[in-house]
Amino acid sequence: MKFGLMYEIQIPEPHGPTAEQDRYNQVLAQVDLADEVGFDYFWTVEHHFLREFSHCSAPEVLYGAISQRTKRIRIGHAVALLPGQYNHPVRVAERVAVLDILSNGRVDLGTGRSTTLIEMDGFEVNPEETRAQWEEAVRMIPKMWTEDPFSHEGQFYTIPPRSVIPKPVQKPHPPMWVACSQPESFKNAGEMGLGVLCFNLGGHDQLVERVGLYREGIKHAHPVGEFVNDQVAALCVIHCGEDDGEAKRVGGPEGAWFVDMAEKLYAPWQGRNVPESYQFAVNAIQTERGEKTLEDHMASGAFAMGNSDTIIKVLQKYQEAGVDQILCFMQMGNLAHSRIMDSIKLFGKHVIPYFK
């Protein structure tokens, strides 16, 4: 099993004048350390307007800095939002190619369609169109990397023959992933040959079902790119400490803050007509996160907090469920930078070697 650090870049109130600069510098230091101790991936979201919850609105800029500071860790979008009002697919292809060059071929592209009205309304995105926009764009991007000239005529985009430059270092192109929550999405991802980024906090039992659906889809894959990226990466909220009780006492409330804030982001859907394609995601926030206590999340495996032995036992069940990579969510809430650094060190010293 592989391991990636997963970031929202969270900055709870109150904010001092240097809060954002300080947090970004902390993230850079954390990634430097993760690169040294054996983490395989660094991932961040792309979010907009989500004050406190996520201050990561221009991840591609951060990735450029990380590409020059690190040596081996892979750099992943989790995810680039593909409705055109956020990102035109040509610009996504161009940015990823440049990053792949600068990082010497260490880029993975995850994509998605956006789920919060806070963001969609801010960019005038029609929720009824996001799935179709995503699918058209995700089929275009690998062709831009492998065809010259590239042209396209579709529902949302018409592009005359053009050279989309530069081309990425990785051949035929960087691995591609998609964010998934509902069961149908896991099967569809497999059929499209995309890796899965699972951000649900449903725990081990749910993962067994979803991974099974994905692997069934893979059997019938017609990949959107040049190859099948047969991988499932799953989110787990993690804090590793020397002492079992202390790690849970310190990490638990910050993990709970993250879950509570995520639930609040979906409040604007109340009183709005929820498109069928968003029904599951909106409902899941209530059933998988909002109604559960800290103890529930610990018991399900959605949270792994404690000493390294405790965390290994939790993550073994992810491995048994067929998960290929753990998205380690360690920078949660207002957890101190020093504690995150200690958690990364201990995880790299004890947990990663166990699974390698």
Side-chain angles (χ1 to χ4, degrees):
M1 210 161 49
K2 295 179 181 179
F3 297 92
L5 279 185
M6 176 69 202
Y7 283 81
E8 297 274 0
I9 306 187
Q10 303 199 310
I11 314 178
E13 298 281 9
H15 290 174
T18 65
E20 290 176 320
Q21 183 177 17
D22 292 344
R23 185 69 88 230
Y24 268 87
N25 286 331
Q26 291 167 6
V27 170
L28 290 172
Q30 290 161 21
V31 180
D32 288 346
L33 177 60
D35 189 38
E36 294 173 10
V37 304
F39 279 80
D40 301 286
Y41 282 81
F42 168 80
W43 299 91
T44 72
V45 300
E46 176 195 336
H47 276 314
H48 305 275
F49 315 125
L50 305 187
R51 188 177 178 90
E52 294 191 88
F53 184 79
S54 177
H55 289 244
C56 191
S57 56
E60 62 279 353
V61 180
L62 175 62
Y63 301 153
I66 288 171
S67 75
Q68 301 306 292
R69 297 168 62 100
T70 57
K71 301 298 183 185
R72 47 162 301 279
I73 198 167
R74 293 189 65 83
I75 303 168
H77 289 258
V79 298
L81 302 176
L82 288 189
Q85 293 91 332
Y86 295 119
N87 295 294
H88 192 286
V90 170
R91 296 292 289 127
V92 174
E94 292 169 338
R95 292 196 300 254
V96 171
V98 171
L99 181 60
D100 206 44
I101 291 169
L102 293 175
S103 66
N104 295 316
R106 290 187 283 140
V107 177
D108 284 51
L109 174 62
T111 63
R113 62 193 182 104
S114 192
T115 58
T116 78
L117 285 176
I118 297 169
E119 294 169 282
M120 285 186 274
D121 287 352
F123 279 87
E124 300 180 282
V125 174
N126 181 355
E128 299 279 2
E129 295 182 344
T130 58
R131 177 172 284 177
Q133 282 191 292
W134 168 79
E135 184 162 352
E136 184 172 337
V138 81
R139 293 182 184 277
M140 294 166 62
I141 290 169
K143 291 182 172 64
M144 296 180 202
W145 289 329
T146 57
E147 297 177 3
D148 193 4
F150 166 82
S151 62
H152 176 82
E153 186 170 343
Q155 180 181 357
F156 300 101
Y157 304 102
T158 298
I159 301 172
R162 294 290 186 271
S163 292
V164 180
I165 53 176
K167 302 298 185 190
V169 169
Q170 296 177 84
K171 302 301 179 188
H173 56 72
M176 296 181 67
W177 305 67
V178 61
C180 291
S181 59
Q182 52 192 308
E184 178 187 1
S185 297
F186 282 77
K187 187 176 181 181
N188 290 344
E191 292 173 348
M192 298 175 75
L194 298 167
V196 162
L197 297 166
C198 176
F199 300 131
N200 296 17
L201 287 175
H204 305 128
D205 293 341
Q206 185 188 89
L207 279 169
V208 172
E209 174 208 2
R210 304 290 164 84
V211 172
L213 290 168
Y214 176 71
R215 303 296 182 202
E216 182 63 30
I218 285 285
K219 294 177 184 177
H220 313 286
H222 296 282
V224 299
E226 296 295 310
F227 61 94
V228 173
N229 183 26
D230 183 3
Q231 297 188 72
V232 175
L235 184 70
C236 185
V237 181
I238 294 175
H239 185 59
C240 187
E242 295 278 7
D243 178 77
D244 211 47
E246 174 73 1
K248 293 174 182 176
R249 183 188 67 79
V250 171
E254 305 305 331
W257 182 90
F258 160 60
V259 172
D260 291 343
M261 285 295 292
E263 181 186 0
K264 291 175 183 176
L265 298 180
Y266 287 80
W269 281 107
Q270 297 177 10
R272 290 275 292 265
N273 180 34
V274 181
E276 183 179 350
S277 67
Y278 281 102
Q279 285 283 355
F280 186 93
V282 174
N283 292 340
I285 287 293
Q286 298 296 324
T287 59
E288 294 175 4
R289 300 186 185 189
E291 297 178 0
K292 291 185 178 179
T293 65
L294 173 58
E295 290 72 23
D296 291 333
H297 287 303
M298 294 282 196
S300 73
F303 285 17
M305 296 182 179
N307 61 35
S308 56
D309 290 336
T310 294
I311 288 175
I312 286 170
K313 289 176 183 176
V314 174
L315 299 187
Q316 282 175 325
K317 293 184 178 180
Y318 281 77
Q319 189 175 47
E320 291 166 5
V323 171
D324 302 291
Q325 180 181 163
I326 304 296
L327 302 172
C328 302
F329 196 84
M330 292 186 170
Q331 192 270 307
M332 57 195 127
N334 221 9
L335 193 61
H337 171 58
S338 60
R339 290 190 180 273
I340 298 168
M341 294 288 277
D342 289 343
S343 180
I344 291 170
K345 289 176 187 175
L346 288 169
F347 198 95
K349 183 177 181 179
H350 299 292
V351 180
I352 292 177
Y354 178 88
F355 288 96
K356 297 297 184 186

